[in-house]
Amino acid sequence: MPKIIDLDQLYEAAKVKIELPEHDDDRRHRLHMQARQQDWELVREKWLFAFGLIFVALIGALAILNIATTPQSPSPWATSVLTALVSGLLGYLVGRKDTKPRP
């Protein structure tokens, strides 16, 4: 008579669990390093954004200064730069408002 095989027991026996033991100090150090890495990335992103914003503000200030000092014939680059800055700012503000999660 054939032997009945319980498939539930066969499945349990075939499970493989790979776990590396992690000491509490190692885990604490790993989590601390991950937190430091996330903090560094956040600071780096903020600094890059600030430098980019300062650079764009300086270009805009030069364009405004050029238009203010020569009102009869402002440079075409200055008007183009101001137009691009204003449209970029509006696009950024509208895009930020539009990407908020809806309830």
Side-chain angles (χ1 to χ4, degrees):
M1 177 155 205
K3 186 176 179 183
I4 297 176
I5 299 175
D6 187 7
L7 295 178
D8 291 331
Q9 289 179 351
L10 183 64
Y11 177 73
E12 288 296 323
K15 279 187 182 177
V16 176
K17 191 184 274 191
I18 299 174
E19 291 182 5
L20 296 175
E22 186 176 31
H23 195 268
D24 288 340
D25 292 337
D26 294 336
R27 181 177 179 274
R28 195 175 308 117
H29 178 71
R30 179 179 52 85
L31 293 176
H32 175 70
M33 293 304 288
Q34 286 177 352
R36 283 186 61 193
Q37 180 69 23
Q38 289 173 350
D39 290 344
W40 167 249
E41 289 175 4
L42 185 64
V43 167
R44 186 184 62 177
E45 287 177 16
K46 286 186 179 186
W47 275 104
L48 286 174
F49 181 75
F51 281 130
L53 194 61
I54 289 170
F55 181 74
V56 169
L58 285 174
I59 298 292
L62 285 174
I64 290 172
L65 184 64
N66 185 309
I67 291 173
T69 56
T70 57
Q72 54 273 34
S73 62
S75 298
W77 70 266
T79 54
S80 298
V81 165
L82 284 180
T83 303
L85 287 176
V86 169
S87 63
L89 180 64
L90 288 174
Y92 177 74
L93 292 176
V94 169
R96 297 238 338 148
K97 185 177 181 181
D98 202 28
T99 59
K100 288 184 180 176
R102 299 176 197 267

